Amino acid sequence: MNSLAWLLLGLPLLSAAVIHLGLKRMQSISAIASTASAGATLLFAIILLFSKNDISVAFNWISIGGFEGIKIGLELDQLAKGMMLIVTGVGFLVHLFSLAYMKDDKAKARYFCGLSLFMFSMTGIVLASNFIMMFIFWELVGLSSYLLIGHWYEKDSAADAAKKAFLTNRIGDFGFMIGILMLWGIAGTFTFDGLAAGLAASSGYSLTFLGIATLCIFAGAMGKSAQAPLHVWLPDAMEGPTPVSALIHAATMVAAGVFMMARFYTSIGTEVIDALWGVHTIAWIGGITSLLAALMATQQDDIKKILAYSTLSQLGYMVMAVGLLNPEAGMFHLYTHAWFKALLFLGSGAVIYACHHEQNIWKMGGLKKTMPITFFTFGIGTLALCGFPFITSGFWSKEQILEVAWLSNKPLFIIAALVAFLTTFYMFRLFFIAFLGKSRSNHADHAKEVGPLMFVPLIILAVLALISGFSPVAGAIAPAYEALDFHIGAAFITSILAVVLGFLLAFKLYAKADEDPLADNKVAKVFRNKFYIDEAYAKVVGYGQDSVAALVHFFDELIIGGLIVGGFSRAAGGIGRLFGRLQSGNLQGYATLFGIGVLLVIYITVFVS
C-alpha cells in the first residue's frame, strides 16, 4: 500500500514529463497517455480508500545539526483518502470530457501535459504530511493553473486572466509562508501530526501570536479558495478551456484552501483554535464572500461566470463552516459540491460546444429539445446546488452548514439563508433562459446533443450529485462526509423557504423572458458590475503604482543620477577639462601662465607678507 501511495503521487508527474519531453508532436497519444494516467490514479485512490489502515511514510530531505529537518512524506488518513477520491474522480472525468472538447485544439499535447502537472500538484497537497511539502505543491498548483488558464494565450483576455490569477494568489501565499514560519517558531515542527504535541510542549506561547499565525495561514486559503478580497481572479479564470474550469476552479484547486484549513484545524484541535485571537474573522470572511458572490451571480449573462460566482459563494459556505469550528461540515459540502459543480461546468461546456462557443445565455434558449441529455443532467446539477430537499446531495451538506450557523452564530445564519435563496434564484434564472423557451440565435437553433465522451461523464456526475450526500455513500468514503441526523427545525424550515421563494421569483421574472427585466435597475447594475471591486482595484493599483513609480523616478533621476552619480561625474569632468586646458602643449600659453605666476609670487611676497 505504501508503494501504491507513492505511485498515486508520481504517476501524474511521469505522465507530464513523458508528454513534455517525448510526445509533444503526438497530440492524440499525449491525450491518451494523460487520460490513462488519470484513470490509473483513480483506481489507486479507490483501492487505498477501502484499505483499513492509514498510511504514513516519510524520508528526510534536509537535516542540519540539531534541526528537526524537513521531510518528504505522505499522510493518507480518512480525510486525505476522501479528498483524493474527489481529485482523481473529477480529474479522470474531466480528462474524458476533454478528449472530445479539445480534439481540434492545435496545442492539445500542451493542454494534457498541463492537466497531468496539475494532477501531480494537487495530489501532493492532499498527501503532504507537513507544511513545507504542502507549500511546495501549493506553488506548483499555482504554476499549473497559470499554464491552464492561459492555454489560449494568443487571446489577450486569457493571458491577462492567467497573470491575474497568478499574482493574486502570490499575495495570499506570502501570508501563508509567514504563517508557516510563525507556527514553526511556536511549535518547533512543520509536521501536521506533531503540531499538537509541539504546542503542548511550548506552553508559554502567546495565544495572540498563534492567532496571528493562524490568520496568516488562512491568507493562503483566501488566495486559493478565492475569498474576499482576493476573490477577483476566479471569474476571470473562466478564460481557460471549460474542462479546466471544471477541474481547477470548481472541484479541486479552489477547494485546496478549505482542505488545508481542515487539516490544520484537526491537527491542532478546535479547542485550541477557539481560544485564539481573531480566529472568528475566518467565519465572517466566508459569510461575506458567500453573500457578495451570490449577489454578483444574479446579474451575470456569461454561463461560465454565473457558475464561477456560484463557486465563490459555495466556497464561502465552506470557509464559514470551518471558521465556526466545524471543519467536518465544510469538508462534507466540499465533497458534495465537487460532483455537482463539476457536472454544471462540464454541462456548460457541452452547451458552449454545441452552440459554437457561444457563452451568453441570452443567445441560447430552447436547448431542452435539441440537447435532452445535457438538459436533464444540468437540471439535476441545478437542483443539487440549490439544495433540493431529500433527493440531492447538496441538500444534506447545505443543511449541515445551516444547522452549524444556527447553533453558533445567528447573524451568519441569516446570511447563509439569504445565500440559499439567491442561489436558487440565479441558478433557475440560468436554467430557464438557456434551456427553456425559444432559441434566440442561429447557433442555439442548430445545436445538437454532444457525443458519448461528453455526455457519459455528465451522467456519472449526475448520479453522484444525487446519491453522494446520503450517509451510506458519504460515510463509506470518510467519516467527515456524512449527513447530520436530520430533524425538522429552524435550519430546515428556512432552507425549504429559501428554495421555494428563490424558484418562484426566478420563474416569475425569467420563465418567459426574452430579455432581462432587471437590465435597467440601478441596484442590479451594481451587481452586474461586481460592486465595481475590479475597477476600484485597478484605480488603487494604478494610482499606487504610478505614485511609487514617480517617486522612484524622481529619486533615481534627480537625486542619484543628477546629484550623486551625475554630480560627481560632472565635477570630475570639469576638473579634467580645466587641467586639460592648462596642459594644452602651446609654448606661448605656458609662457603667459609663467609670467602671471611670477607676478602673483612677487605680489604675495611684497604686499601680503
Side-chain angles (χ1 to χ4, degrees):
M1 288 298 173
N2 289 355
S3 299
L4 206 59
W6 286 111
L7 274 174
L8 190 64
L9 177 64
L11 192 58
L13 177 62
L14 177 63
S15 171
V18 168
I19 293 171
H20 183 69
L21 298 175
L23 300 178
K24 264 187 174 180
R25 297 176 184 270
M26 304 176 188
Q27 304 279 4
S28 298
I29 296 177
S30 297
I32 293 171
S34 180
T35 305
S37 167
T41 55
L42 173 59
L43 178 62
F44 297 159
I46 293 173
I47 294 172
L48 290 168
L49 177 67
F50 292 105
S51 64
K52 295 181 179 179
N53 298 325
D54 294 343
I55 294 175
S56 182
V57 292
F59 62 86
N60 284 331
W61 179 34
I62 298 174
S63 293
I64 303 173
F67 176 56
E68 176 202 46
I70 299 174
K71 299 179 184 296
I72 297 296
L74 307 183
E75 190 74 31
L76 198 60
D77 54 10
Q78 282 300 109
L79 179 65
K81 288 177 182 179
M83 187 68 185
M84 201 69 250
L85 182 66
I86 296 170
V87 173
T88 57
V90 173
F92 175 62
L93 294 174
V94 165
H95 275 76
L96 278 182
F97 191 91
S98 297
L99 289 175
Y101 193 88
M102 302 294 289
K103 68 177 181 179
D104 297 323
D105 193 272
K106 295 180 180 179
K108 186 163 61 174
R110 174 163 55 84
Y111 170 81
F112 278 95
C113 178
L115 284 186
S116 290
L117 180 62
F118 174 82
M119 292 290 287
F120 166 69
S121 307
M122 194 64 207
T123 300
I125 289 179
V126 176
L127 297 179
S129 63
N130 59 78
F131 266 123
I132 296 298
M133 182 177 169
M134 179 177 276
F135 187 77
I136 291 170
F137 283 99
W138 196 267
E139 296 305 299
L140 280 173
V141 165
L143 169 63
S144 54
S145 65
Y146 170 79
L147 296 173
L148 288 168
I149 295 168
H151 176 71
W152 291 319
Y153 60 85
E154 300 91 347
K155 292 167 53 182
D156 289 341
S157 57
D160 291 343
K163 287 186 288 186
K164 187 175 183 178
F166 191 81
L167 293 174
T168 305
N169 273 274
R170 297 294 72 73
I171 297 171
D173 293 352
F174 181 69
F176 188 22
M177 180 177 63
I178 293 174
I180 292 172
L181 294 174
M182 291 176 68
L183 194 64
W184 175 72
I186 300 170
T189 182
F190 291 114
T191 61
F192 296 122
D193 59 1
L195 280 177
L199 290 175
S202 178
S203 57
Y205 66 84
S206 165
L207 288 176
T208 300
F209 191 78
L210 182 58
I212 294 172
T214 300
L215 292 178
C216 286
I217 288 172
F218 174 64
M222 288 176 66
K224 279 288 183 290
S225 294
Q227 297 297 287
L230 301 181
H231 66 284
V232 292
W233 68 269
L234 183 62
D236 287 11
M238 298 302 109
E239 290 292 337
T242 303
V244 169
S245 304
L247 177 64
I248 299 180
H249 310 294
T252 52
M253 172 184 167
V254 292
V258 179
F259 172 79
M260 181 268 287
M261 292 304 294
R263 172 68 81 191
F264 177 55
Y265 272 41
T266 53
S267 299
I268 291 183
T270 54
E271 298 83 5
V272 176
I273 295 290
D274 190 31
L276 300 182
W277 172 84
V279 74
H280 296 290
T281 304
I282 295 173
W284 277 101
I285 289 176
I288 291 169
T289 302
S290 186
L291 179 59
L292 285 177
L295 291 171
M296 294 174 192
T298 60
Q299 283 299 295
Q300 301 304 309
D301 295 333
D302 185 316
I303 187 171
K304 287 175 66 176
K305 288 200 173 181
I306 295 171
L307 297 177
Y309 283 110
S310 170
T311 298
L312 282 176
S313 186
Q314 298 304 305
L315 287 168
Y317 257 13
M318 301 171 205
V319 169
M320 183 176 69
V322 173
L324 292 174
L325 306 180
N326 200 316
E328 294 82 5
M331 287 301 298
F332 183 31
H333 195 55
L334 183 155
Y335 156 73
T336 61
H337 175 265
W339 307 117
F340 59 72
K341 186 51 67 67
L343 167 61
L344 290 169
F345 263 109
L346 292 184
S348 72
V351 169
I352 293 168
Y353 184 86
C355 293
H356 301 274
H357 297 279
E358 177 59 65
Q359 296 184 199
N360 190 330
I361 58 175
W362 291 104
K363 294 182 180 180
M364 297 175 186
L367 297 178
K368 173 186 174 181
K369 297 177 182 178
T370 55
M371 303 181 70
I373 297 175
T374 303
F375 163 77
F376 183 71
T377 54
F378 199 95
I380 290 175
T382 299
L383 292 174
L385 178 56
C386 298
F388 192 83
F390 303 118
I391 65 170
T392 64
S393 60
F395 166 74
W396 300 108
S397 57
K398 183 190 75 172
E399 199 69 18
Q400 189 156 327
I401 292 177
L402 287 172
E403 186 72 19
V404 168
W406 172 257
L407 296 174
S408 304
N409 191 309
K410 294 299 190 296
L412 281 176
F413 171 77
I414 294 172
I415 291 176
L418 180 57
V419 169
F421 160 76
L422 291 170
T423 301
T424 306
F425 171 73
Y426 66 69
M427 283 307 301
F428 275 101
R429 171 183 180 266
L430 185 163
F431 191 74
F432 291 148
I433 295 169
F435 289 95
L436 304 183
K438 61 182 180 180
S439 60
R440 301 182 187 86
S441 69
N442 189 52
H443 291 323
D445 194 41
H446 292 87
K448 295 180 180 179
E449 186 60 84
V450 294
L453 279 176
M454 288 190 184
F455 72 65
V456 168
L458 295 181
I459 293 172
I460 295 171
L461 288 168
V463 172
L464 289 169
L466 291 174
I467 69 170
S468 60
F470 288 90
S471 293
V473 178
I477 294 172
Y481 304 163
E482 192 162 3
L484 75 168
D485 294 329
F486 174 73
H487 66 279
I488 296 177
F492 170 73
I493 295 171
T494 304
S495 176
I496 296 298
L497 284 174
V499 172
V500 171
L501 293 176
F503 174 82
L504 290 175
L505 183 59
F507 183 83
K508 178 177 176 58
L509 292 177
Y510 296 105
K512 298 180 180 179
D514 290 326
E515 58 183 22
D516 198 328
L518 301 178
D520 297 327
N521 185 280
K522 292 183 179 180
V523 176
K525 186 178 180 181
V526 174
F527 299 163
R528 191 176 304 115
N529 288 283
K530 303 163 287 186
F531 292 93
Y532 300 96
I533 294 174
D534 287 85
E535 290 80 0
Y537 275 175
K539 288 188 179 296
V540 169
V541 171
Y543 286 134
Q545 179 177 285
D546 291 347
S547 300
V548 172
L551 180 63
V552 170
H553 180 74
F554 170 80
F555 189 75
D556 181 53
E557 289 292 321
L558 296 182
I559 306 299
I560 296 178
L563 296 180
I564 300 176
V565 176
F568 283 117
S569 174
R570 286 190 292 273
I575 293 171
R577 285 190 294 273
L578 175 62
F579 282 101
R581 291 181 179 278
L582 296 178
Q583 302 296 326
S584 64
N586 188 316
L587 292 177
Q588 186 177 355
Y590 289 160
T592 302
L593 290 174
F594 180 76
I596 293 171
V598 170
L599 292 175
L600 286 173
V601 170
I602 294 172
Y603 175 79
I604 293 170
T605 303
V606 174
F607 296 101
V608 176
S609 301

